[in-house]
Amino acid sequence: MSKQVLILPGDGIGPEIVREAKRVLDLVNQQDDLGLSFAEAHVGGAAIDATGVPLPDATLTAAKAADAILLGAVGGPQWDTNPDFQIRPEKGLLGIRSNLGLFGNLRPAILYPQLADASTLKPEIVSGLDILIVRELTGGIYFGQPRGIREKEGGIREGFNTYVYDENEIRRIAKVAFEAARARNKRLCSVDKANVLEVTILWREIMEEVGKEYPDVELSHMYVDNAAMQLVRAPKQFDVMVTGNMFGDILSDAAAMLTGSIGMLPSASLDVNGKGMYEPCHGSAPDIAGQNLANPLATILSASMMLRYSLDAGDTADRIEAAVSKVLDQGLRTADIWSEGTEKVSTSQMGDAVVAALSA
Ligand code: NAD
């Protein structure tokens, strides 16, 4: 039976980078007889323009029916002024994540040796870096109720959000993280703020409890402020890090920059059954949209993660990752990772090179 992949190009550079990833998927689908079939739908700003809402019913229905979803990025300044937060592009993304129960976000930060110079950190600090950040994605302060901006006595306005996790939410992300650590170097660092926030005292307790089921994985704990510092001081001390939604949002972007470019980093968001949405870690980059400048590799590597985690095609994923490494060996670089002595290429030329490497 064929497997359904839903493609959501989104906004900004989304359509350009997804186009290259789709070319790669079409090729490997044919080469490796994967039996994939594809559908496409609107999300984010593109969906607002087409239908008035960031997550049309048809898109959500297609997302639920699909075996896996590949997303470009959403957002852009033209939609940011809408005072109704429900009609913002990001709501489309958050809506898919919460409706599909995509609670487990895997964000690898790998520094390809060919790009050691692209990092702003010294090569000896980052070369060979290979961290996986596991971020809880559907709970915590981004979703907690009540939330809002209200007026208190004296007409003073105050903003408020609620940081809440129940033990089941913590337990299921803990399991994702321990499983991932078990498949890697068996070290898991749980990041919290248990010296200040009760919700993360519970987080730490449940991590310890789940850890008893994984005696082969070494569990440690770190406060988020220290984790931020350690990530830039000595990032190679980490193997897998697990943390809540907001801390994960921030730490994974910091980890991304250790590698030199956010344009290289894929991500997966998984449900309890391993179905997932795959997307680059970066946003829609409105500053370079439509100029054939964006780096499509994070999206191509997201497609590769999709094959590995949701479509049972790990060997094909290996081939795609080897092809990406090969084009870097050839010295081809989009502008974001370009350095003296390498060849600057466009979005589509980078896609051509990966396709050629896969065909060779
Ligand atoms: P961004 O990641 O879009 O861009 C940050 C910088 O990185 C920009 O200079 C951009 O040109 C560059 N960049 C990003 N991706 C690149 C790529 N593939 N190749 C080359 N350079 C790349 O973040 P931002 O500027 O904070 O946000 C822009 C828009 O994206 C906003 O509307 C924001 O809400 C949205 N956003 C969406 C997502 C998502 O869809 N998952 C994530 C983050 C931000």
Side-chain angles (χ1 to χ4, degrees):
M1 213 177 74
S2 88
K3 290 182 178 154
Q4 300 283 330
V5 175
L6 179 66
I7 307 266
L8 300 174
D11 310 318
I13 59 171
E16 299 164 65
I17 53 180
V18 161
R19 188 177 306 124
E20 301 312 316
K22 174 72 170 29
R23 289 174 63 204
V24 168
L25 282 170
D26 282 337
L27 177 67
V28 296
N29 192 23
Q30 186 197 354
Q31 286 178 327
D32 296 355
D33 205 9
L34 300 177
L36 304 179
S37 62
F38 299 93
E40 198 171 306
H42 287 311
V43 72
I48 294 173
D49 289 350
T51 70
V53 291
L55 180 56
D57 288 345
T59 301
L60 184 57
T61 304
K64 285 181 176 164
D67 294 291
I69 302 159
L70 182 69
L71 171 84
V74 297
Q78 61 271 53
W79 300 287
D80 283 349
T81 46
N82 195 323
D84 182 352
F85 266 80
Q86 297 310 317
I87 311 295
R88 295 276 180 96
E90 293 71 19
K91 282 286 169 191
L93 201 53
L94 297 178
I96 293 183
R97 287 175 184 165
S98 57
N99 273 290
L100 271 62
L102 304 177
F103 69 93
N105 188 211
L106 309 189
R107 288 185 167 212
I110 297 168
L111 183 68
Y112 282 82
Q114 301 93 324
L115 299 180
D117 287 344
S119 176
T120 47
L121 270 70
K122 293 183 192 128
E124 64 267 28
I125 304 286
V126 287
S127 77
L129 182 76
D130 183 357
I131 307 177
L132 178 68
I133 297 193
V134 178
R135 167 187 169 196
E136 201 291 328
L137 205 56
T138 54
I141 198 164
Y142 289 177
F143 290 91
Q145 294 288 346
R147 61 190 295 161
I149 298 174
R150 63 190 166 201
E151 217 168 90
K152 55 181 190 177
E153 251 174 65
I156 304 293
R157 286 177 304 151
E158 66 179 0
F160 59 101
N161 290 87
T162 302
Y163 190 4
V164 59
Y165 273 120
D166 72 31
E167 57 185 304
N168 292 335
E169 288 174 301
I170 303 170
R171 201 167 280 118
R172 66 182 186 175
I173 194 70
K175 284 182 192 273
V176 169
F178 276 104
E179 290 291 338
R182 180 173 267 176
R184 292 169 45 105
N185 294 319
K186 301 187 172 48
R187 287 184 296 113
L188 177 63
C189 178
S190 170
V191 175
D192 61 40
K193 190 71 183 170
N195 50 341
V196 177
L197 298 170
E198 284 80 356
V199 57
T200 69
I201 294 175
L202 181 66
W203 176 280
R204 195 177 274 221
E205 269 176 40
I206 302 293
M207 286 291 155
E208 285 290 334
E209 190 188 302
V210 176
K212 294 199 174 75
E213 296 165 35
Y214 295 85
D216 52 323
V217 176
E218 180 195 315
L219 173 67
S220 61
H221 304 277
M222 196 177 276
Y223 296 140
V224 63
D225 41 348
N226 187 25
M229 190 171 78
Q230 295 300 331
L231 262 181
V232 288
R233 193 187 72 86
K236 283 189 272 182
Q237 70 185 282
F238 298 112
D239 176 21
V240 180
M241 301 173 89
V242 61
T243 191
N245 205 342
M246 181 169 62
F247 296 161
D249 192 3
I250 299 164
L251 292 180
S252 57
D253 267 23
M257 273 325 290
L258 299 176
T259 70
S261 172
I262 203 162
M264 291 298 299
L265 296 175
S267 77
S269 307
L270 305 175
D271 74 1
V272 276
N273 300 313
K275 169 173 168 170
M277 178 158 75
Y278 297 81
E279 55 182 304
C281 286
H282 58 73
S284 57
D287 53 334
I288 56 167
Q291 299 174 46
N292 203 16
L293 284 176
N295 186 345
L297 292 179
T299 316
I300 290 171
L301 292 167
S302 299
S304 166
M305 279 184 96
M306 176 173 81
L307 293 168
R308 189 183 303 287
Y309 288 105
S310 290
L311 299 173
D312 200 19
D315 290 347
T316 307
D318 288 344
R319 290 207 306 116
I320 294 174
E321 284 155 27
V324 167
S325 194
K326 189 171 167 190
V327 301
L328 294 174
D329 280 340
Q330 290 164 353
L332 305 181
R333 305 280 189 271
T334 42
D336 56 309
I337 51 173
W338 180 83
S339 61
E340 209 66 55
T342 61
E343 184 184 343
K344 199 180 281 182
V345 295
S346 65
T347 309
S348 51
Q349 285 170 328
M350 187 57 103
D352 291 343
V354 177
V355 163
L358 280 163
S359 311

Short mmCIF file of all heavy atoms in Angstrom, two decimals, residues 110-115 264 297 300-301 304 317-333 337 350 353-355 357-358:
data_model
loop_
_atom_site.label_atom_id
_atom_site.label_comp_id
_atom_site.label_asym_id
_atom_site.label_seq_id
_atom_site.Cartn_x
_atom_site.Cartn_y
_atom_site.Cartn_z
N ILE A 110 24.28 18.99 14.23
CA ILE A 110 25.47 18.26 13.79
C ILE A 110 26.36 19.22 13.02
O ILE A 110 25.86 19.95 12.16
CB ILE A 110 25.06 17.08 12.88
CG1 ILE A 110 24.21 16.09 13.67
CG2 ILE A 110 26.29 16.41 12.27
CD1 ILE A 110 23.52 15.06 12.81
N LEU A 111 27.63 19.23 13.35
CA LEU A 111 28.53 20.08 12.58
C LEU A 111 29.26 19.21 11.56
O LEU A 111 30.13 18.42 11.92
CB LEU A 111 29.54 20.79 13.48
CG LEU A 111 30.45 21.73 12.68
CD1 LEU A 111 29.67 22.91 12.12
CD2 LEU A 111 31.60 22.24 13.51
N TYR A 112 28.87 19.36 10.30
CA TYR A 112 29.59 18.65 9.24
C TYR A 112 31.04 19.13 9.25
O TYR A 112 31.28 20.35 9.28
CB TYR A 112 28.94 18.95 7.88
CG TYR A 112 27.68 18.17 7.64
CD1 TYR A 112 26.47 18.60 8.16
CD2 TYR A 112 27.70 16.98 6.92
CE1 TYR A 112 25.30 17.87 7.96
CE2 TYR A 112 26.54 16.25 6.71
CZ TYR A 112 25.35 16.69 7.23
OH TYR A 112 24.21 15.97 7.03
N PRO A 113 32.00 18.19 9.25
CA PRO A 113 33.41 18.61 9.34
C PRO A 113 33.77 19.63 8.26
O PRO A 113 34.59 20.53 8.50
CB PRO A 113 34.18 17.30 9.13
CG PRO A 113 33.21 16.19 9.24
CD PRO A 113 31.82 16.75 9.17
N GLN A 114 33.10 19.51 7.09
CA GLN A 114 33.42 20.43 5.98
C GLN A 114 33.06 21.88 6.33
O GLN A 114 33.48 22.81 5.67
CB GLN A 114 32.64 20.04 4.72
CG GLN A 114 32.89 18.64 4.19
CD GLN A 114 31.88 17.62 4.73
OE1 GLN A 114 31.46 17.70 5.87
NE2 GLN A 114 31.53 16.64 3.91
N LEU A 115 32.19 22.05 7.37
CA LEU A 115 31.70 23.39 7.69
C LEU A 115 32.26 23.92 9.00
O LEU A 115 31.73 24.89 9.56
CB LEU A 115 30.16 23.40 7.76
CG LEU A 115 29.43 23.00 6.48
CD1 LEU A 115 27.93 23.04 6.69
CD2 LEU A 115 29.82 23.92 5.33
N MET A 264 21.18 24.44 7.86
CA MET A 264 21.63 23.04 7.75
C MET A 264 20.84 22.09 8.64
O MET A 264 21.09 20.89 8.62
CB MET A 264 23.09 22.93 8.19
CG MET A 264 24.09 23.59 7.29
SD MET A 264 24.12 22.89 5.64
CE MET A 264 24.57 21.19 5.97
N LEU A 297 19.28 22.62 2.29
CA LEU A 297 19.77 21.35 2.87
C LEU A 297 19.02 20.96 4.14
O LEU A 297 18.78 19.78 4.39
CB LEU A 297 21.28 21.42 3.12
CG LEU A 297 22.14 21.48 1.85
CD1 LEU A 297 23.63 21.57 2.20
CD2 LEU A 297 21.89 20.27 0.94
N ILE A 300 16.00 19.25 2.90
CA ILE A 300 16.35 17.95 2.32
C ILE A 300 16.68 16.96 3.45
O ILE A 300 16.26 15.80 3.43
CB ILE A 300 17.52 18.12 1.32
CG1 ILE A 300 17.03 18.88 0.08
CG2 ILE A 300 18.14 16.77 0.94
CD1 ILE A 300 18.11 19.31 -0.90
N LEU A 301 17.39 17.43 4.47
CA LEU A 301 17.72 16.55 5.61
C LEU A 301 16.47 16.25 6.45
O LEU A 301 16.37 15.20 7.08
CB LEU A 301 18.82 17.18 6.47
CG LEU A 301 20.20 17.26 5.77
CD1 LEU A 301 21.16 18.16 6.54
CD2 LEU A 301 20.81 15.85 5.61
N SER A 304 14.90 13.48 4.77
CA SER A 304 15.64 12.27 5.11
C SER A 304 15.21 11.73 6.48
O SER A 304 14.98 10.53 6.66
CB SER A 304 17.14 12.61 5.07
OG SER A 304 17.88 11.62 5.67
N ALA A 317 17.40 7.12 3.68
CA ALA A 317 17.83 8.29 4.46
C ALA A 317 19.35 8.34 4.52
O ALA A 317 19.95 9.41 4.34
CB ALA A 317 17.23 8.23 5.86
N ASP A 318 19.97 7.20 4.73
CA ASP A 318 21.45 7.15 4.75
C ASP A 318 22.01 7.67 3.42
O ASP A 318 23.00 8.42 3.40
CB ASP A 318 21.95 5.70 4.94
CG ASP A 318 21.72 5.19 6.35
OD1 ASP A 318 21.45 6.02 7.25
OD2 ASP A 318 21.80 3.97 6.55
N ARG A 319 21.37 7.26 2.31
CA ARG A 319 21.87 7.68 0.99
C ARG A 319 21.76 9.19 0.81
O ARG A 319 22.65 9.84 0.25
CB ARG A 319 21.08 6.98 -0.13
CG ARG A 319 21.35 5.50 -0.24
CD ARG A 319 21.14 4.95 -1.64
NE ARG A 319 19.84 5.24 -2.22
CZ ARG A 319 19.67 6.00 -3.31
NH1 ARG A 319 20.71 6.53 -3.92
NH2 ARG A 319 18.45 6.19 -3.79
N ILE A 320 20.65 9.76 1.29
CA ILE A 320 20.46 11.21 1.14
C ILE A 320 21.52 11.95 1.97
O ILE A 320 22.14 12.92 1.52
CB ILE A 320 19.04 11.63 1.57
CG1 ILE A 320 18.01 11.05 0.60
CG2 ILE A 320 18.91 13.16 1.62
CD1 ILE A 320 16.56 11.28 1.00
N GLU A 321 21.75 11.47 3.21
CA GLU A 321 22.73 12.15 4.07
C GLU A 321 24.13 12.04 3.46
O GLU A 321 24.92 13.00 3.52
CB GLU A 321 22.64 11.58 5.49
CG GLU A 321 21.39 12.13 6.19
CD GLU A 321 20.83 11.27 7.31
OE1 GLU A 321 21.59 10.51 7.93
OE2 GLU A 321 19.61 11.37 7.56
N ALA A 322 24.43 10.90 2.86
CA ALA A 322 25.74 10.75 2.20
C ALA A 322 25.84 11.70 1.00
O ALA A 322 26.91 12.28 0.74
CB ALA A 322 25.93 9.29 1.75
N ALA A 323 24.72 11.88 0.29
CA ALA A 323 24.72 12.78 -0.88
C ALA A 323 24.97 14.22 -0.43
O ALA A 323 25.71 14.98 -1.07
CB ALA A 323 23.41 12.67 -1.65
N VAL A 324 24.37 14.61 0.70
CA VAL A 324 24.58 15.97 1.22
C VAL A 324 26.05 16.15 1.59
O VAL A 324 26.68 17.17 1.26
CB VAL A 324 23.66 16.23 2.44
CG1 VAL A 324 24.07 17.49 3.19
CG2 VAL A 324 22.20 16.34 1.98
N SER A 325 26.61 15.16 2.25
CA SER A 325 28.01 15.24 2.63
C SER A 325 28.90 15.35 1.38
O SER A 325 29.88 16.11 1.36
CB SER A 325 28.37 13.99 3.45
OG SER A 325 29.58 14.17 4.09
N LYS A 326 28.51 14.63 0.33
CA LYS A 326 29.29 14.64 -0.91
C LYS A 326 29.29 16.04 -1.56
O LYS A 326 30.34 16.51 -2.01
CB LYS A 326 28.71 13.60 -1.88
CG LYS A 326 29.56 13.35 -3.10
CD LYS A 326 29.03 12.15 -3.88
CE LYS A 326 29.65 12.08 -5.26
NZ LYS A 326 29.00 11.08 -6.10
N VAL A 327 28.12 16.68 -1.58
CA VAL A 327 28.10 18.02 -2.22
C VAL A 327 28.90 19.03 -1.39
O VAL A 327 29.53 19.93 -1.94
CB VAL A 327 26.67 18.58 -2.51
CG1 VAL A 327 25.89 17.67 -3.41
CG2 VAL A 327 25.89 18.86 -1.25
N LEU A 328 28.94 18.82 -0.07
CA LEU A 328 29.79 19.70 0.76
C LEU A 328 31.26 19.42 0.46
O LEU A 328 32.08 20.34 0.37
CB LEU A 328 29.47 19.51 2.24
CG LEU A 328 28.06 19.94 2.68
CD1 LEU A 328 27.82 19.58 4.14
CD2 LEU A 328 27.83 21.44 2.46
N ASP A 329 31.59 18.13 0.28
CA ASP A 329 32.96 17.77 -0.09
C ASP A 329 33.36 18.42 -1.41
O ASP A 329 34.52 18.77 -1.62
CB ASP A 329 33.09 16.25 -0.27
CG ASP A 329 33.25 15.53 1.06
OD1 ASP A 329 33.63 16.18 2.04
OD2 ASP A 329 32.97 14.31 1.11
N GLN A 330 32.36 18.56 -2.31
CA GLN A 330 32.64 19.17 -3.62
C GLN A 330 32.86 20.68 -3.50
O GLN A 330 33.17 21.35 -4.48
CB GLN A 330 31.48 18.90 -4.59
CG GLN A 330 31.37 17.45 -5.03
CD GLN A 330 30.01 17.12 -5.65
OE1 GLN A 330 29.08 17.93 -5.64
NE2 GLN A 330 29.88 15.91 -6.18
N GLY A 331 32.67 21.21 -2.30
CA GLY A 331 32.91 22.64 -2.07
C GLY A 331 31.73 23.53 -2.42
O GLY A 331 31.88 24.76 -2.51
N LEU A 332 30.54 22.93 -2.64
CA LEU A 332 29.38 23.74 -2.99
C LEU A 332 28.73 24.29 -1.72
O LEU A 332 28.51 23.56 -0.75
CB LEU A 332 28.37 22.89 -3.76
CG LEU A 332 28.92 22.20 -5.01
CD1 LEU A 332 27.84 21.40 -5.72
CD2 LEU A 332 29.53 23.22 -5.97
N ARG A 333 28.42 25.60 -1.74
CA ARG A 333 27.86 26.25 -0.55
C ARG A 333 26.82 27.29 -0.97
O ARG A 333 27.10 28.11 -1.85
CB ARG A 333 28.95 27.02 0.23
CG ARG A 333 30.18 26.22 0.63
CD ARG A 333 29.93 25.37 1.88
NE ARG A 333 31.15 24.79 2.37
CZ ARG A 333 31.65 23.60 1.98
NH1 ARG A 333 31.01 22.88 1.06
NH2 ARG A 333 32.77 23.14 2.49
N ILE A 337 26.43 29.55 4.15
CA ILE A 337 27.54 28.72 4.64
C ILE A 337 28.81 28.92 3.80
O ILE A 337 29.79 28.20 3.95
CB ILE A 337 27.16 27.21 4.68
CG1 ILE A 337 26.58 26.75 3.33
CG2 ILE A 337 26.21 26.91 5.82
CD1 ILE A 337 26.35 25.24 3.25
N MET A 350 21.97 23.94 -5.54
CA MET A 350 22.26 23.01 -4.45
C MET A 350 21.37 21.77 -4.58
O MET A 350 21.82 20.63 -4.41
CB MET A 350 22.05 23.71 -3.10
CG MET A 350 22.49 22.91 -1.91
SD MET A 350 24.23 22.41 -1.97
CE MET A 350 24.99 23.55 -0.84
N ALA A 353 22.71 19.58 -7.25
CA ALA A 353 23.91 18.85 -6.84
C ALA A 353 23.54 17.62 -6.01
O ALA A 353 24.15 16.56 -6.16
CB ALA A 353 24.83 19.78 -6.06
N VAL A 354 22.56 17.76 -5.13
CA VAL A 354 22.15 16.61 -4.31
C VAL A 354 21.51 15.54 -5.20
O VAL A 354 21.81 14.34 -5.07
CB VAL A 354 21.19 17.04 -3.17
CG1 VAL A 354 20.71 15.83 -2.38
CG2 VAL A 354 21.86 18.04 -2.23
N VAL A 355 20.68 15.98 -6.13
CA VAL A 355 20.05 15.05 -7.07
C VAL A 355 21.13 14.32 -7.88
O VAL A 355 21.09 13.09 -8.06
CB VAL A 355 19.04 15.79 -7.98
CG1 VAL A 355 18.67 14.98 -9.21
CG2 VAL A 355 17.80 16.18 -7.19
N ALA A 357 24.26 13.82 -7.01
CA ALA A 357 25.02 12.91 -6.13
C ALA A 357 24.24 11.62 -5.89
O ALA A 357 24.82 10.54 -5.79
CB ALA A 357 25.33 13.61 -4.80
N LEU A 358 22.92 11.74 -5.81
CA LEU A 358 22.09 10.55 -5.60
C LEU A 358 22.00 9.69 -6.86
O LEU A 358 21.75 8.48 -6.79
CB LEU A 358 20.67 10.96 -5.18
CG LEU A 358 20.49 11.35 -3.72
CD1 LEU A 358 19.18 12.12 -3.52
CD2 LEU A 358 20.51 10.11 -2.82
#
